[in-house]
Amino acid sequence: MIIRLIGGTPMRGQADPSWRGAITDADAYDLTNDAARARILSANALVISGSVDHLLLGRYREELTAFVRSGGRVLVNGQVVKPFIDGLAVWRKLEFRGAQDVRPHAVSEHPVWNGIDDRDLHYRTGVPGIHSYERLEEIGVAGFYGRGYHLDLPEGAQVITGIGSYRLPLDYAYRIGAGEVLVHGGNDLESFSDDGYSTRVLGPNLVAWLEAGRNDGGQDGGTSVHDGAQNGGTNAAVARVLPATAPADAAVARAARDARVSRESRESRESRESRAPGAAPRIGLLHCGAFQPLRTLADPALAPYRLESVYLPDADPAVLADLDVVLVSDRLHQGQLERFVPALLAALEDPGKTVIVLGENKVEQWLPGVGYTFRPTVFWKWRTGEDNGTRLRLPEDPMWEFFTPWSVSWHHHGLLHPRPGARSLVVMEEDGAEVGTLMYVDEVNQPARLLVTTMDPVYHHGSGFMPGASQLLYSLLRWVTATHPSAGKHP
């Protein structure tokens, strides 16, 4: 049995990359429950998605290492920032200038890559059809498979795939005891199995390699992970086990929490008003420990903004009360975000705050009066010249002093429908009609200033991919800093 640990709901519009039911998804936060963790670690193999909380995994480093030592196999996807299994190397960004700088090259044989032409890993496109490599050089986007490398590999490591002309280590494998760790330093490896190309065998190859881990099946005499999967699709074995709480008790707890958040918000507002004029705003980045926000927080280019980490699994929602700017990172784990919704709604009642909500956060479920319509993501527009309908509005709006067209037109994750009075700065047109908003600012429907977008700049900036995304993140931070109420004032 193979369990893939994920960081929450997969990105909307993407197909589930599991093959024939061989891989069972489990929420990585199930590791915090003793019974669920034991069942997860009874598997033959684990797949670590690139969306998983590295800080969480780090707490279970000894147990994950022991899992491998006992014969388990693990595929680690993404960019390792904080090693969570013994021997993992930290990912390093490659300074690339063109598509050939990030081309994958076969370095050594490994059963997962048997039968794959490495050229089929180089480009991706959403343009329908099957395309030759030469055509993909014209319309494809390079860098999805990898845009960085690893140094300080563990002793005895095998480099499988190199990146760029120097074949720097991108994919590698190493053994611990009876087991093996396979590391892919890019977007989730299983997502590259494509029926139209030689990579069609990648999925079956990967499943076969993973299933060979722990030849005893990893059984511990208890319930297997698949036992619950046969009953209406319910995976009881990895379902989170929560303490029973009477509805009345839960309602009382929620009311007490909301009252506390409201009180602390009021006290914090009074504290901010007494702060020295001209002080830089306090900006908190809400995140769930995935590599993208961790790398964003560590970026020297953002150091002048003094971003404060608000790690949702550990933080008290009351910490939002003392922030001037609440930056809700994109693609947050919805279960972790839910705990902060009352504090976010309280922040919207504070006229001294700016709240920024980035894409893939299901805002239609918790932001008052906001609607959402799904649209597929288009990531090849700049290669094909295709008009994807993005339009800039309100050219005289002072917001455009901080944003460029390139910073807001790289791609998006669906359409927003804000409340009346909000200013839609970037919209979508279809067949000549405006059908929704991609970014808006609302300064009339609540005391706080609110900006919402379906773009996901923290994800892409932290991934080292898509310069327009980095420009949007820089622009947002310049905007909130320059337009903070105390900006330009001096004692």
Side-chain angles (χ1 to χ4, degrees):
M1 58 186 151
I2 305 166
I3 296 177
R4 179 176 59 176
L5 295 178
I6 61 174
T9 305
M11 188 170 65
R12 302 183 213 198
Q14 299 298 307
D16 183 349
S18 300
W19 287 271
R20 304 175 185 89
I23 299 176
T24 300
D25 283 349
D27 191 322
Y29 291 104
D30 285 348
L31 289 169
T32 62
N33 176 271
D34 291 344
R37 183 169 70 256
R39 292 167 185 143
I40 290 169
L41 295 178
S42 73
N44 297 60
L46 301 176
V47 176
I48 309 293
S49 168
S51 63
V52 171
D53 182 341
H54 284 201
L55 303 181
L56 168 78
L57 294 177
R59 296 174 181 173
Y60 301 99
R61 177 169 176 159
E62 291 185 5
E63 290 169 88
L64 290 169
T65 300
F67 171 82
V68 180
R69 194 179 305 280
S70 67
R73 292 184 171 181
V74 179
L75 166 63
V76 175
N77 287 302
Q79 303 170 8
V80 173
V81 175
K82 296 182 180 296
F84 46 83
I85 297 175
D86 289 357
L88 283 180
V90 173
W91 183 93
R92 299 168 184 247
K93 183 181 178 181
L94 181 68
E95 297 301 325
F96 52 89
R97 296 292 181 268
Q100 292 304 313
D101 293 340
V102 293
R103 177 176 171 177
H105 296 273
V107 173
S108 65
E109 294 184 357
H110 189 282
V112 171
W113 283 263
N114 282 349
I116 294 175
D117 181 344
D118 56 41
R119 298 192 309 168
D120 289 341
L121 300 170
H122 191 189
Y123 291 101
R124 302 199 81 174
T125 182
V127 178
I130 300 172
H131 310 283
S132 67
Y133 183 75
E134 291 71 26
R135 177 59 176 156
L136 287 170
E137 287 183 299
E138 299 174 0
I139 64 172
V141 179
F144 281 91
Y145 188 80
R147 42 200 176 267
Y149 61 99
H150 304 90
L151 292 182
D152 305 318
L153 298 182
E155 184 178 356
Q158 171 196 5
V159 178
I160 301 164
T161 310
I163 188 170
S165 58
Y166 294 103
R167 274 59 168 179
L168 298 173
L170 171 59
D171 300 322
Y172 69 96
Y174 65 99
R175 299 193 67 82
I176 301 177
E180 188 171 358
V181 179
L182 179 62
V183 181
H184 168 62
N187 288 17
D188 288 5
L189 181 63
E190 57 269 31
S191 70
F192 290 89
S193 190
D194 190 327
D195 288 343
Y197 299 90
S198 66
T199 53
R200 68 177 66 88
V201 301
L202 193 155
N205 286 354
L206 177 62
V207 167
W209 179 80
L210 290 167
E211 286 181 334
R214 301 178 78 167
N215 291 327
D216 63 354
Q219 302 298 324
D220 60 0
T223 304
S224 77
V225 172
H226 284 303
D227 285 346
Q230 306 303 319
N231 184 12
T234 301
N235 187 358
V238 295
R240 181 172 297 159
V241 180
L242 299 174
T245 304
D249 292 342
V252 170
R254 282 196 300 271
R257 180 184 61 188
D258 293 350
R260 175 173 55 83
V261 168
S262 177
R263 181 183 68 255
E264 292 173 344
S265 177
R266 182 177 65 255
E267 293 170 351
S268 177
R269 186 184 315 155
E270 294 169 354
S271 173
R272 286 201 314 275
E273 289 171 353
S274 65
R275 200 177 297 170
R282 288 187 59 186
I283 306 173
L285 178 67
L286 278 60
H287 69 96
C288 290
F291 75 80
Q292 299 90 348
L294 293 180
R295 294 195 68 245
T296 296
L297 287 165
D299 181 3
L302 299 180
Y305 298 104
R306 301 180 181 178
L307 292 179
E308 300 181 31
S309 170
V310 182
Y311 174 54
L312 299 191
D314 284 354
D316 186 333
V319 301
L320 303 192
D322 204 36
L323 296 171
D324 300 297
V325 179
V326 179
L327 180 54
V328 182
S329 184
D330 34 55
R331 305 192 192 189
L332 292 179
H333 183 281
Q334 293 301 300
Q336 298 296 332
L337 177 60
E338 182 180 9
R339 191 168 63 93
F340 276 73
V341 166
L344 286 166
L345 297 179
L348 290 174
E349 297 303 314
D350 185 340
K353 289 191 186 297
T354 298
V355 178
I356 299 172
V357 186
L358 303 178
E360 294 274 54
N361 274 315
K362 298 186 179 179
V363 293
E364 70 279 10
Q365 296 183 8
W366 57 273
L367 271 181
V370 177
Y372 173 84
T373 303
F374 170 78
R375 286 294 185 277
T377 303
V378 177
F379 58 81
W380 62 91
K381 170 193 169 203
W382 55 88
R383 295 301 309 278
T384 63
E386 178 182 345
D387 179 6
N388 71 346
T390 300
R391 301 288 184 267
L392 277 54
R393 295 288 189 252
L394 308 177
E396 303 303 320
D397 195 289
M399 291 280 290
W400 290 116
E401 296 177 19
F402 302 96
F403 297 87
T404 65
W406 174 240
S407 71
V408 295
S409 59
W410 34 282
H411 81 204
H412 59 86
H413 292 274
L415 310 178
L416 299 166
H417 309 288
R419 290 196 280 182
R423 307 197 313 273
S424 294
L425 300 170
V426 187
V427 303
M428 173 67 71
E429 276 189 0
E430 294 175 357
D431 298 324
E434 189 172 307
V435 293
T437 295
L438 306 181
M439 186 174 83
Y440 73 86
V441 62
D442 186 345
E443 298 178 292
V444 299
N445 286 299
Q446 65 289 308
R449 181 171 58 172
L450 171 66
L451 185 146
V452 187
T453 179
T454 64
M455 290 173 268
D456 48 353
V458 171
Y459 175 88
H460 289 287
H461 179 78
S463 299
F465 194 48
M466 219 172 290
S470 295
Q471 287 190 28
L472 177 57
L473 182 59
Y474 297 149
S475 296
L476 288 168
L477 293 172
R478 284 196 301 269
W479 168 64
V480 295
T481 300
T483 60
H484 183 252
S486 65
K489 297 179 182 179
H490 301 281

